[in-house]
Amino acid sequence: MDPRTGMPRVGMVGGGQLARMTHQAAVPLGQTLRVLAESPDDSAALVTPEVEIGTHTDLEALTRFAQGCDVVTFDHEHVPGEHIRALVAAGHLVYPGADALQFAQDKALMRERLAALGAPVPRYAVLPGAADRDPAATLAAVVDFAAPGWPVVLKTARGGYDGRGVWVLQDEPAAAALLAELGPGTDLVLEELVPLERELAAVVARSPFGQAAAWPIVETVQENGICVEVIAPAPDLDGRVAAAASRLALRIAGELGVVGVLAVELFQVPVSDTAPDGILVNELAMRPHNSGHWSMDGAVTGQFEQHLRAVLDYPLGRTDALAPWTVMGNVLGGPADGAGAGIGMDERVHHLSARFPEVKVHLYGKAFRPGRKLGHVNVLGSDLARLRRTARLAADWLSTGEWTDGWDPHTAATTAAVPFIERTGR
Amino acid sequence: MDPRTGMPRVGMVGGGQLARMTHQAAVPLGQTLRVLAESPDDSAALVTPEVEIGTHTDLEALTRFAQGCDVVTFDHEHVPGEHIRALVAAGHLVYPGADALQFAQDKALMRERLAALGAPVPRYAVLPGAADRDPAATLAAVVDFAAPGWPVVLKTARGGYDGRGVWVLQDEPAAAALLAELGPGTDLVLEELVPLERELAAVVARSPFGQAAAWPIVETVQENGICVEVIAPAPDLDGRVAAAASRLALRIAGELGVVGVLAVELFQVPVSDTAPDGILVNELAMRPHNSGHWSMDGAVTGQFEQHLRAVLDYPLGRTDALAPWTVMGNVLGGPADGAGAGIGMDERVHHLSARFPEVKVHLYGKAFRPGRKLGHVNVLGSDLARLRRTARLAADWLSTGEWTDGWDPHTAATTAAVPFIERTGR
Ligand SMILES: Nc1ncnc2c1ncn2[C@@H]1O[C@H](COP(=O)(O)OP(=O)(O)OP(=O)(O)O)[C@@H](O)[C@H]1O
Ligand SMILES: Nc1ncnc2c1ncn2[C@@H]1O[C@H](COP(=O)(O)OP(=O)(O)OP(=O)(O)O)[C@@H](O)[C@H]1O
Ligand SMILES: [Mg+2]
Ligand SMILES: [Mg+2]
């Protein structure tokens, strides 16, 4: 308890944008998020006063941090399981627990566990243990796995993100070259290249009490392995498939004992024996997830508030959508930061508001870096094609300082004439 | 500019709940609100890292604070106009400016100015200057004003809030007693006791550029001079009256040169020569206002974000409502804090979520005190009667730890069976 307010102190390990947005959600709940950040300039450390500096691999730092918290949770999946177990052994509440989190940390473990549960997964194989890997035997295993046909997908079991650690292998020489490059020491998973129609995500939250809530199934659009757009709900998704996807995610949350937000990344595929509902599980994230950012503006309860409720064992909030459609666009650092054009982020927000006063901006306070997630935008309404166009233009504008449709504020008509906005003055 | 983010630094004088909620709105805009708070335990100081301790009557503290800000704005109306002028003379941007703010600081000035603008106001009289007030002449002026009939309303021109500084005088002896009690030294305004049907508020925002945006007109429900409930939009309000009220507020914002949020408190009255649209202006607030709290969850752009946009001269955001109705209920400290029942605020939030998972909670992190604004709740939907009942029950529960309808979680059916919330687990 925070003695000043009588409200619980939630601590989040990691000071990225997820912690930043969790603090934003903590404020209306009467709380102050505590953050274990690597640097005082971390995204979350800029906005909450309760910051400790330390790294998630340092058990001492974790222990000191946990002592000031009623419950500890995570901004990312990188805290070693043995550290989580040590914190729990010392009497701290930590959610999600190590037993659950391992399946979000290790794609090999995740595939095995989901297969054991009978969840629909792509055909896969876990490659012989990293330490004693024999290069020839490993390559033979890949070739064997690819017998039905190349290409196949190779993934590092741990540490991948935003498509880093995922390779599509076209043939045996490509496999040999990559394996030589990776060397031993990395656990690997092989997967069929799924003939995916599109990607979906089922985001749910679950409390220690066992209550669980699902948001509508969303479509996630990837470019170069990075999520660029999310559409809620997934357009034209058969109601039975949507229900099956939600049930699957709720079942996974329950079976693995997840506490907090769980995002289940899905591939939509043609119905088959291995995919009777036309969905396969790609991977799991046990924290607020990019595919749930739309809920901040588009649902009664956003995923960051829900994550707090869940780890505090509060009853969960309603997850209904507030509009027929919400579209989220990621603001990714472009190849250059556009500062050449002399238009900084402040000015970009200014121009964006002039053109699209309906767009909700979420900026993470992060320095520019190509490909880095700098923020996102949400926009709600009933005309999906228009919302998608708006979200894309807005996100690209914030990323690059350029309107990809060539829009020019000096020649364009100004803000659409809406009755409640007018010029006033003497 | 904040060199870490390239984003502007807005500073708010005062560390109350309005500053707290403004910080919450600053986070998605990529910003960190700077706050000049009286104490490190102030509502806003608990949630933003950028806190300076100091008081709003201390020009040195204000100046030091302003030096770290790109623009300075206010959580309350109590900063002396001469201090604001001194800051501006020293080159700081301060919004709203002293010329505008005086009309929110002084009800006598406000009445005179609005009357001069031709805005509809109650019949009023400003009592002879405080310093040289002659008790007999003052009483005579009151009696004279009451000639058409008692009762009349007497208000202190400055410093009143939540109905403090407002008295209904039933007759001459009551007037004499109150004037004797008040003594000289307080500027006073006399007003007719308006035969009000209900109270409304027109909340708008205006930028230095002169762009202005209005939210829908709301109904505000007062009990004992304190706002307890706000309904957006005001039920059964004639469209022409609503439009007239919005036009009036936008005109006042423009004529007075307001920058930021302006709340115009209105009385709805029968149409007459002095109230041709059936509305009279009660008073003005030049900051986010209780009557706009519904917009945090119920409108595309909430009033705290809009206030930031306005003082930064960003184009304003859309003000459309997200649902047919939003009801706000104030959480006011009850006569006792209910801790006798052993149910602290944390547990109250827990129980509230179990009963009403659709309610949005906003807590200010403030210690209990009878009558103190501790938080508010918002709830959106289409069944107004039900929303009002929910908001009232929820706010009263958080205030007192008692369900005023006698609800008992142990006998009541648990959370309404909603398809997306279920019990999961092994
Ligand atoms: N077996 C597969 N078949 C087809 N495409 C795949 C397969 N596995 C991954 N992909 C593609 O690569 C993307 C990234 O894969 P994955 O989610 O496993 O990696 P990641 O680096 O953990 O991603 P992130 O952290 O961004 O979710 C997927 O979203 C999908 O577009
Ligand atoms: N002339 C009047 N006739 C009838 N009722 C009045 C009049 N003036 C004030 N009231 C009632 O008293 C309430 C408080 O008045 P007023 O807004 O002037 O005071 P305040 O202390 O500044 O309030 P707050 O700060 O809560 O807005 C009003 O909302 C209204 O209910
Ligand atoms: Mg993925
Ligand atoms: Mg008032």
Side-chain angles (χ1 to χ4, degrees):
Chain A
M1 286 297 147
D2 185 327
R4 301 167 303 180
T5 59
M7 298 302 284
R9 294 159 312 173
V10 178
M12 192 168 260
V13 176
Q17 67 265 26
L18 302 181
R20 180 185 176 99
M21 294 185 274
T22 305
H23 177 58
Q24 186 188 331
V27 172
L29 292 176
Q31 304 171 23
T32 305
L33 189 72
R34 293 174 54 76
V35 167
L36 183 68
E38 307 247 323
S39 137
D41 288 353
D42 279 3
S43 181
L46 296 174
V47 298
T48 178
E50 303 275 331
V51 179
E52 283 195 36
I53 302 301
T55 190
H56 59 275
T57 49
D58 175 354
L59 181 56
E60 248 179 73
L62 287 170
T63 303
R64 227 179 6 253
F65 181 64
Q67 277 156 4
C69 303
D70 296 304
V71 53
V72 173
T73 185
F74 310 107
D75 165 272
H76 54 65
E77 278 116 4
H78 308 313
V79 180
E82 67 267 26
H83 287 3
I84 298 178
R85 290 199 171 86
L87 293 176
V88 171
H92 300 294
L93 272 185
V94 187
Y95 291 124
D99 289 349
L101 194 62
Q102 60 182 333
F103 302 111
Q105 293 176 318
D106 188 308
K107 288 175 179 169
L109 286 181
M110 179 268 295
R111 282 271 170 267
E112 305 280 18
R113 184 74 166 91
L114 291 184
L117 280 179
V121 294
R123 189 170 72 86
Y124 75 97
V126 176
L127 284 185
D132 53 356
R133 194 155 69 213
D134 162 5
T138 305
L139 183 58
V142 176
V143 171
D144 193 44
F145 182 84
W150 297 89
V152 297
V153 176
L154 188 79
K155 296 183 178 182
T156 57
R158 305 178 68 94
Y161 69 98
D162 288 350
R164 280 166 240 226
V166 176
W167 298 270
V168 177
L169 302 177
Q170 296 297 341
D171 50 26
E172 184 176 339
L178 181 69
L179 287 173
E181 200 189 304
L182 289 176
T186 323
D187 286 326
L188 297 173
V189 182
L190 278 171
E191 294 176 6
E192 64 175 312
L193 181 72
V194 173
L196 55 93
E197 287 161 359
R198 59 174 171 172
E199 298 187 55
L200 305 173
V203 185
V204 302
R206 183 175 174 276
S207 72
F209 177 76
Q211 194 199 29
W215 284 273
I217 303 299
V218 298
E219 176 173 348
T220 67
V221 182
Q222 265 66 232
E223 274 172 19
N224 306 318
I226 303 194
C227 173
V228 294
E229 183 186 15
V230 172
I231 307 169
D236 302 319
L237 184 64
D238 186 291
R240 280 159 311 184
V241 177
S246 288
R247 270 199 312 275
L248 175 63
L250 290 167
R251 184 157 82 87
I252 292 171
E255 295 277 358
L256 305 190
V258 177
V259 169
V261 169
L262 168 72
V264 180
E265 298 183 0
L266 299 166
F267 297 140
Q268 190 169 23
V269 294
V271 170
S272 69
D273 283 354
T274 49
D277 296 309
I279 49 174
L280 295 174
V281 176
N282 176 28
E283 63 161 347
L284 309 179
M286 295 182 194
R287 51 168 171 76
H289 187 255
N290 205 159
S291 59
H293 287 355
W294 71 275
S295 64
M296 297 177 80
D297 298 299
V300 173
T301 305
Q303 67 168 346
F304 297 97
E305 177 182 341
Q306 197 79 303
H307 189 74
L308 285 169
R309 286 171 174 255
V311 301
L312 288 165
D313 210 1
Y314 282 177
L316 301 175
R318 298 273 314 193
T319 51
D320 317 55
L322 294 172
W325 302 104
T326 302
V327 179
M328 191 275 328
N330 268 341
V331 179
L332 303 168
D337 75 354
I343 306 177
M345 193 54 93
D346 176 38
E347 209 176 330
R348 290 182 203 178
V349 175
H350 190 119
H351 285 279
L352 175 63
S353 304
R355 184 170 181 191
F356 296 123
E358 71 274 31
V359 165
K360 305 311 298 172
V361 170
H362 298 268
L363 293 174
Y364 308 155
K366 286 165 143 191
F368 173 85
R369 199 187 295 154
R372 195 180 201 194
K373 286 179 182 165
L374 304 175
H376 68 271
V377 296
N378 284 331
V379 58
L380 285 71
S382 49
D383 180 345
L384 180 57
R386 189 186 154 148
L387 295 173
R388 292 189 67 177
R389 191 166 159 274
T390 299
R392 188 60 71 107
L393 284 168
D396 286 348
W397 162 255
L398 291 177
S399 296
T400 63
E402 269 173 44
W403 291 112
T404 47
D405 64 347
W407 192 77
D408 179 343
H410 302 294
T411 60
T414 47
T415 310
V418 276
F420 52 84
I421 299 195
E422 54 177 56
R423 185 93 202 268
T424 63
R426 273 168 289 197
Chain B
M1 286 296 147
D2 185 327
R4 300 167 304 179
T5 59
M7 297 303 282
R9 293 160 311 173
V10 178
M12 192 167 259
V13 176
Q17 68 265 25
L18 302 181
R20 180 184 177 99
M21 294 186 273
T22 305
H23 176 59
Q24 185 189 332
V27 172
L29 292 176
Q31 304 172 23
T32 305
L33 189 72
R34 292 174 54 75
V35 167
L36 183 68
E38 307 248 323
S39 138
D41 289 353
D42 279 1
S43 181
L46 297 174
V47 298
T48 177
E50 303 275 332
V51 180
E52 283 195 35
I53 302 300
T55 191
H56 60 275
T57 49
D58 175 353
L59 181 57
E60 250 179 71
L62 287 169
T63 303
R64 229 179 5 254
F65 181 64
Q67 278 157 3
C69 304
D70 296 304
V71 53
V72 173
T73 184
F74 309 108
D75 165 271
H76 56 64
E77 278 116 2
H78 308 314
V79 181
E82 66 265 26
H83 286 2
I84 299 177
R85 291 199 171 85
L87 293 177
V88 171
H92 300 294
L93 273 185
V94 186
Y95 292 124
D99 289 349
L101 194 62
Q102 61 182 332
F103 302 112
Q105 293 176 318
D106 189 310
K107 289 176 180 171
L109 287 181
M110 179 268 294
R111 282 271 169 266
E112 305 278 17
R113 185 75 167 88
L114 292 184
L117 281 179
V121 293
R123 189 170 71 88
Y124 75 96
V126 176
L127 283 186
D132 53 357
R133 196 156 66 214
D134 163 4
T138 305
L139 183 58
V142 175
V143 171
D144 193 43
F145 183 83
W150 297 88
V152 297
V153 176
L154 187 79
K155 297 182 177 182
T156 58
R158 306 178 68 94
Y161 69 99
D162 288 351
R164 280 166 238 227
V166 177
W167 298 270
V168 178
L169 301 178
Q170 295 297 341
D171 49 26
E172 185 175 337
L178 181 68
L179 287 173
E181 199 189 303
L182 289 176
T186 323
D187 285 327
L188 297 173
V189 183
L190 277 171
E191 294 177 4
E192 62 174 315
L193 181 72
V194 173
L196 53 93
E197 288 162 358
R198 59 173 171 174
E199 298 187 55
L200 305 173
V203 185
V204 303
R206 182 175 175 276
S207 71
F209 177 75
Q211 194 198 28
W215 284 273
I217 303 298
V218 299
E219 175 174 348
T220 67
V221 181
Q222 266 66 232
E223 274 173 18
N224 307 318
I226 303 193
C227 173
V228 293
E229 184 186 16
V230 173
I231 307 168
D236 302 319
L237 184 63
D238 187 290
R240 283 159 309 183
V241 177
S246 289
R247 269 199 313 274
L248 175 63
L250 291 167
R251 185 158 82 86
I252 292 171
E255 295 278 358
L256 306 189
V258 177
V259 169
V261 168
L262 168 73
V264 181
E265 299 182 0
L266 298 166
F267 296 139
Q268 190 169 21
V269 294
V271 169
S272 69
D273 282 354
T274 51
D277 296 309
I279 49 175
L280 294 175
V281 176
N282 175 28
E283 62 161 348
L284 309 179
M286 295 182 193
R287 48 167 173 79
H289 187 255
N290 205 160
S291 59
H293 286 355
W294 72 274
S295 64
M296 299 179 79
D297 298 298
V300 174
T301 306
Q303 67 168 347
F304 298 96
E305 176 181 343
Q306 198 79 303
H307 188 76
L308 284 169
R309 285 171 174 256
V311 302
L312 287 165
D313 211 2
Y314 282 178
L316 301 175
R318 297 274 314 193
T319 51
D320 318 53
L322 294 172
W325 302 104
T326 302
V327 179
M328 191 274 329
N330 268 342
V331 179
L332 303 169
D337 75 353
I343 306 177
M345 193 55 93
D346 176 38
E347 209 176 331
R348 291 183 203 178
V349 175
H350 189 118
H351 285 280
L352 175 62
S353 304
R355 184 171 181 190
F356 295 123
E358 71 275 30
V359 165
K360 305 312 297 172
V361 170
H362 298 268
L363 294 173
Y364 307 155
K366 287 166 143 188
F368 173 86
R369 200 188 295 155
R372 196 179 199 195
K373 287 179 181 163
L374 304 175
H376 68 272
V377 296
N378 283 332
V379 58
L380 284 70
S382 48
D383 180 344
L384 179 58
R386 190 187 154 146
L387 295 173
R388 292 189 67 178
R389 192 167 157 274
T390 299
R392 187 61 71 106
L393 284 169
D396 286 347
W397 163 255
L398 291 177
S399 296
T400 63
E402 269 173 44
W403 291 111
T404 47
D405 64 346
W407 191 77
D408 179 342
H410 302 295
T411 59
T414 47
T415 311
V418 277
F420 52 84
I421 299 195
E422 54 177 57
R423 184 94 202 267
T424 65
R426 274 169 291 195

